[in-house]
Amino acid sequence: MKRPLIIFIAVTKNWMRSKSGVFFSILFPVLLLLVFGAVFSGGGTATYTLFVQNLDRTTDGKPTNMTTFFVDALNSTETFNLRDVPPDVDATPYARDAVGPLGGNIRILIISKGFEEDLVNGTFKVRVGISYSTLNTTFQYFAPYLSNETLIATEQGIAQLGEYYTNMTERSASLTLIMDSSDQSAGIVKSIVMNVANAFNYRLIEAKNVIDFEEEPITGVRQFKAIDFYLPGIIAAFIMTNGIVGVTSNTTEFKRRGIIKRLSITPLAKVEWILGNILSQTLLNIMLTVIVIAIGWLVFGVQAIPDAISVVLIFLGSVMFSGIGMTLSGIIKDVEAASAVGNAIAFPMMFLSGTYWPIEFMPTYMQSFSRVLPLTYFSEGLRYAMIYKYSEGILTNMIIISALATAFIIVGSLVTRWKEK
Amino acid sequence: MVEVVVEVKSLLKEYGSLRAVDNISFELYSGEVFALLGPNGAGKTTTVEILECIRPLTSGSATVFGYDVTKREDVKEIKKRIGVLPQDFSALDKLSVKENIDLIGGMYEKKLDTMEVIRLLDLEEKAKEKFETLSGGLKQRVGVAAALVNDPLLVFLDEPTTGLDPKARRDVWSVIENLKRMGKTVFLTTHYMEEAQRLADRIAIINKGKIAVIGSPPDLISQYGGRQVVVIRKADKKLAETLHEKYGGTILNHGGDVIVKVDDVKEMWQILSTLTSMKMDKEIDIQTPTIEDVFLKVVGGRITEEGELK
């Protein structure tokens, strides 16, 4: 064990004295943390610009009462920055001009002419329908207890109401939402507008909620902030990047400069060289994790501090990704190619492994693909360990990571050339 | 009896259709400095790396201290006993001279005190300096120090002075001379004629993978270097005729110099006595053949400063 330790000390010292190396190694995870922290720290709520063209006007050109209430209801969500579009213009070019060339996506809500009247009539038909349905149900229930005369009279009355309801004209108020197909917020905007419209519908027929909805955190899980849920992903991502990009580039550079060749002439075995490098990388990752969490704690007050089991996972993850790095550097000959290949593997993996968003958000075939990526198990394991304290999940991922780490060390040893050709 | 340290027999190394080392045989004896002299691509480094156990051979055999370079268990024994300065030696940039030597020393079970090696290479003042701050010559000295830290019996120095300025080159030469004084066996590869002639007890001239000649510098020079030459600067035609009558083979060159080729020291003294009796006050230059002349004779070309065959 003496030789791996000597390699570990030398490689670590060499890295720690490289100011630019240390700076960029720290910069990447800290930037990730600051970006995610800034976006998800809850410092503000998202607002969406929504142009509203109200075509339902009174004879003197003012918006009708119902449309005014509807626009007020939209405003009360505090989600929209509402901008009025005059009724006599083509709304789309008007909105485009208003936002300008750099203004981003446009969203336009057109309240159709006759909105108020259609709403009143539509609501009346709904009310009649509810009355008919209620009477019919009640009648069916009490029919056995009624006298024959009462039964016939009531049945006729309900039938007449049903006929009246059937003959009523079907009318409903119309809203049109115009949005860019490329607008990533389109779904959110549509959902909010529909919710407001539904709430408006219920209020008009004076319906009340009969289903109570309450939200509670999972038992035993501390009250974390949004950034806490991203922290395991951020840690997993930079450990993966350091292994796949950092180890691959550094080792290929050592190879190019003949340092590995020089060491191979000594009694050092290649597995000892690999172990020394992996140990060094692991120490670097643990140090960076401490720095990232310290900054996260100071700036955003993160609470997801790794416990002993998380540290074990970080160790295993470092070993696994360093093993992948050693494998790649054993295969790739020149430094430029090593960096390019490392990045080509690391970046897709970073975004397809459930690190920054749940795997369930991705299409099914992508979800299957993400299940073969080592980072999926590492970030999932860390999230279970740091946030959910889900023992079974931690153990399962830990076993998978350990197996992959062992496999990559073996493959790395096999493909690392200790002899020239 | 002289101990054989390295024994190479019919060594062949092929890369596909390219024959880098072509059926060479030689021996290296304990305590000698042996130089493998040849241009770039001649097969010097390939030969050395086979002996260092970091490159497999295609056929033939090679032993170091009697251990076979192709056998795994023997390789361990060889690695314990050899020190190596590889071509284009490099080390960890951010580590100091001492730390880099410690790193290599740490790979061996038995090693010399690092400071002792540093003193030996006259690197005490630079011991704490980072490797990246050193000049090319100092870096090579660190490389030699690293090669000596395990107190090896045999030291391989692969192109130790390539790319160095003349002063740095002479510094490395004095280090190699010290190694010889210490009784180390040194295997040197070089494309510098002067270096091989000055440092080596025996030289093997290698070209296109084949060893052309092998022997001590005096033997090679006497066998292939041609005759010594006495040059009388700015002499007249009459002197040339006089010397020609007495010794033959005299020519007058374009610049007015008279050149007399001599067969041995006795003949040279006779010419010098003749010139003295004639009370000549001309400048006299005695030119001795060198390894360069040997190389020219056996290979048919010269090696440029960059190591290319011309």
Side-chain angles (χ1 to χ4, degrees):
Chain A
M1 199 57 198
K2 181 190 113 180
R3 292 187 195 116
L5 275 176
I6 291 170
I7 294 291
F8 157 69
I9 292 166
V11 173
T12 307
K13 267 187 188 172
N14 195 57
W15 175 79
M16 290 185 80
R17 288 176 191 170
S18 166
K19 291 187 182 75
S20 62
V22 172
F23 177 74
F24 285 108
S25 296
I26 294 173
L27 185 69
F28 174 63
V30 169
L31 270 182
L32 272 181
L33 177 79
L34 293 177
V35 168
F36 277 95
V39 173
F40 298 107
S41 61
T45 50
T47 57
Y48 305 95
T49 298
L50 180 65
F51 288 89
V52 179
Q53 187 177 43
N54 189 349
L55 301 176
D56 192 34
R57 306 269 169 169
T58 58
T59 47
D60 57 356
K62 288 181 180 171
T64 57
N65 285 339
M66 283 297 177
T67 58
T68 305
F69 292 150
F70 185 75
V71 171
D72 286 348
L74 283 176
N75 226 351
S76 69
T77 62
E78 297 181 351
T79 313
F80 294 120
N81 168 26
L82 297 178
R83 297 179 66 175
D84 193 39
V85 179
D88 52 349
V89 300
D90 187 349
T92 306
Y94 178 89
R96 286 228 182 276
D97 288 347
V99 297
L102 302 175
N105 295 308
I106 58 165
R107 307 170 196 105
I108 307 162
L109 178 68
I110 297 176
I111 303 173
S112 61
K113 188 167 174 55
F115 180 87
E116 185 177 66
E117 192 184 340
D118 290 341
L119 197 64
V120 171
N121 288 329
T123 305
F124 184 64
K125 185 177 180 185
V126 170
R127 280 173 179 258
V128 171
I130 291 170
S131 301
Y132 168 71
S133 171
T134 308
L135 281 172
N136 203 25
T137 307
T138 311
F139 173 71
Q140 299 297 330
Y141 184 77
F142 288 105
Y145 308 104
L146 297 177
S147 65
N148 207 26
E149 284 176 5
T150 311
L151 189 72
I152 292 166
T154 309
E155 204 168 24
Q156 282 176 347
I158 291 172
Q160 281 173 356
L161 184 62
E163 195 180 335
Y164 175 69
Y165 172 71
T166 309
N167 291 334
M168 282 179 82
T169 313
E170 188 79 46
R171 293 179 76 170
S172 57
S174 168
L175 294 170
T176 307
L177 196 55
I178 301 169
M179 289 186 289
D180 281 350
S181 55
S182 62
D183 185 354
Q184 294 193 342
S185 303
I188 298 170
V189 171
K190 183 181 167 189
S191 168
I192 296 169
V193 172
M194 282 175 70
N195 270 323
V196 171
N198 283 336
F200 212 69
N201 279 333
Y202 292 141
R203 184 62 58 86
L204 283 170
I205 60 171
E206 293 175 17
K208 288 185 178 169
N209 288 337
V210 289
I211 299 172
D212 287 333
F213 178 76
E214 285 179 23
E215 200 177 358
E216 276 186 15
I218 296 168
T219 313
V221 176
R222 286 155 64 194
Q223 293 302 297
F224 289 113
K225 298 176 180 177
I227 183 64
D228 285 303
F229 290 88
Y230 284 97
L231 198 58
I234 293 168
I235 293 170
F238 79 72
I239 288 176
M240 181 273 294
T241 312
N242 282 347
I244 294 184
V245 182
V247 170
T248 308
S249 302
N250 287 343
T251 311
T252 317
E253 174 66 10
F254 286 156
K255 191 159 63 175
R256 184 186 69 79
R257 293 182 53 205
I259 291 166
I260 294 180
K261 188 178 180 179
R262 177 64 189 90
L263 287 165
S264 73
I265 300 166
T266 71
L268 177 73
K270 67 179 170 185
V271 71
E272 293 174 322
W273 160 253
I274 290 170
L275 282 177
N277 276 275
I278 287 175
L279 279 177
S280 172
Q281 193 63 33
T282 303
L283 177 73
L284 155 72
N285 286 331
I286 289 172
M287 279 164 37
L288 288 176
T289 304
V290 170
I291 291 170
V292 164
I293 288 173
I295 292 174
W297 182 70
L298 285 170
V299 179
F300 302 113
V302 295
Q303 294 179 51
I305 309 297
D307 54 7
I309 202 81
S310 309
V311 173
V312 173
L313 267 170
I314 289 169
F315 173 81
L316 290 172
S318 295
V319 172
M320 174 174 69
F321 287 113
S322 303
I324 295 175
M326 295 306 285
T327 301
L328 288 174
S329 60
I331 298 166
I332 301 162
K333 283 181 181 164
D334 61 279
V335 181
E336 290 75 19
S339 181
V341 172
N343 281 309
I345 294 171
F347 277 90
M349 197 191 295
M350 198 187 299
F351 295 106
L352 297 176
S353 301
T355 313
Y356 302 133
W357 53 74
I359 291 172
E360 291 75 20
F361 280 16
M362 299 189 293
T364 316
Y365 71 94
M366 295 282 268
Q367 289 185 32
S368 307
F369 179 66
S370 78
R371 282 287 155 202
V372 299
L373 299 174
L375 184 60
T376 302
Y377 301 98
F378 185 38
S379 59
E380 195 172 82
L382 264 187
R383 194 164 285 126
Y384 286 147
M386 290 171 67
I387 305 284
Y388 300 114
K389 310 294 177 196
Y390 172 43
S391 309
E392 199 179 322
I394 297 168
L395 187 66
T396 307
N397 286 291
M398 196 180 266
I399 291 168
I400 294 169
I401 296 165
S402 304
L404 288 172
T406 310
F408 280 114
I409 290 176
I410 292 169
V411 175
S413 301
L414 291 174
V415 297
T416 298
R417 262 200 287 124
W418 216 232
K419 259 190 172 185
E420 304 295 312
K421 277 189 177 172
Chain B
M1 189 181 164
V2 183
E3 187 194 350
V4 175
V5 173
V6 173
E7 188 173 20
V8 173
K9 282 183 186 168
S10 307
L11 183 66
L12 186 77
K13 175 67 186 177
E14 290 175 329
Y15 299 104
S17 60
L18 175 73
R19 193 164 276 194
V21 176
D22 190 359
N23 202 28
I24 64 171
S25 301
F26 63 90
E27 288 177 340
L28 188 59
Y29 307 118
S30 178
E32 75 169 340
V33 175
F34 180 83
L36 199 54
L37 172 68
N40 295 342
K44 304 186 297 290
T45 298
T46 303
T47 305
V48 162
E49 288 183 349
I50 289 169
L51 296 174
E52 289 164 359
C53 312
I54 58 168
R55 200 177 284 278
L57 50 82
T58 305
S59 68
S61 69
T63 61
V64 178
F65 298 109
Y67 294 106
D68 189 336
V69 297
T70 62
K71 290 183 181 164
R72 184 184 279 248
E73 286 308 309
D74 283 12
V75 166
K76 287 181 185 170
E77 295 302 320
I78 293 170
K79 284 184 173 180
K80 282 183 201 168
R81 291 166 171 80
I82 62 170
V84 176
L85 172 72
Q87 195 174 15
D88 304 323
F89 167 77
S90 191
L92 293 176
D93 274 339
K94 306 291 177 191
L95 296 193
S96 69
V97 167
K98 182 177 180 299
E99 286 167 334
N100 267 305
I101 298 169
D102 272 337
L103 169 64
I104 300 294
M107 301 300 117
Y108 297 92
E109 285 165 21
K110 197 184 80 177
K111 72 173 196 89
L112 296 174
D113 175 54
T114 305
M115 283 314 293
E116 188 187 323
V117 180
I118 284 173
R119 272 191 292 276
L120 190 72
L121 273 295
D122 202 17
L123 284 165
E124 283 163 288
E125 283 181 18
K126 306 288 179 186
K128 289 182 181 171
E129 285 194 21
K130 284 183 188 167
F131 184 75
E132 64 182 354
T133 64
L134 303 180
S135 66
L138 284 171
K139 282 180 177 172
Q140 285 299 77
R141 267 156 66 181
V142 174
V144 177
L148 296 178
V149 71
N150 60 319
D151 196 17
L153 299 168
L154 167 63
V155 185
F156 290 97
L157 304 174
D158 192 4
E159 303 266 7
T161 60
T162 299
L164 300 186
D165 60 56
K167 186 193 171 299
R169 189 172 295 168
R170 280 183 169 71
D171 284 349
V172 175
W173 288 355
S174 66
V175 168
I176 297 169
E177 283 163 347
N178 264 343
L179 294 180
K180 191 177 174 181
R181 274 194 286 276
M182 288 161 65
K184 304 283 182 195
T185 307
V186 178
F187 191 133
L188 171 73
T189 74
T190 183
H191 65 257
Y192 296 118
M193 309 284 176
E194 187 189 357
E195 185 168 289
Q197 186 171 344
R198 173 171 169 166
L199 300 171
D201 295 308
R202 288 192 306 133
I203 296 172
I205 293 179
I206 185 169
N207 187 42
K208 294 179 182 170
K210 289 178 187 288
I211 289 182
V213 287
I214 191 164
S216 68
D219 286 351
L220 290 176
I221 289 166
S222 71
Q223 199 173 344
Y224 302 101
R227 292 184 291 174
Q228 285 187 315
V229 171
V230 178
V231 182
I232 304 123
R233 304 284 182 201
K234 293 177 184 168
D236 53 26
K237 199 175 175 183
K238 191 179 167 190
L239 176 65
E241 286 167 1
T242 308
L243 291 174
H244 180 68
E245 280 171 20
K246 285 193 173 184
Y247 308 104
T250 310
I251 55 162
L252 186 69
N253 82 351
H254 304 299
D257 294 344
V258 171
I259 297 171
V260 188
K261 287 192 175 179
V262 293
D263 289 327
D264 51 34
V265 177
K266 187 181 168 191
E267 191 179 18
M268 188 194 296
W269 279 114
Q270 284 174 348
I271 292 170
L272 292 175
S273 301
T274 306
L275 293 173
T276 307
S277 65
M278 291 168 70
K279 298 189 176 170
M280 283 263 319
D281 60 348
K282 304 289 182 190
E283 188 184 331
I284 296 171
D285 192 6
I286 297 166
Q287 293 180 350
T288 306
T290 63
I291 286 295
E292 191 162 3
D293 298 301
V294 176
F295 191 88
L296 185 64
K297 173 90 175 175
V298 299
V299 175
R302 294 180 190 279
I303 301 178
T304 64
E305 176 68 19
E306 292 73 34
E308 301 301 327
L309 186 65
K310 199 169 67 170

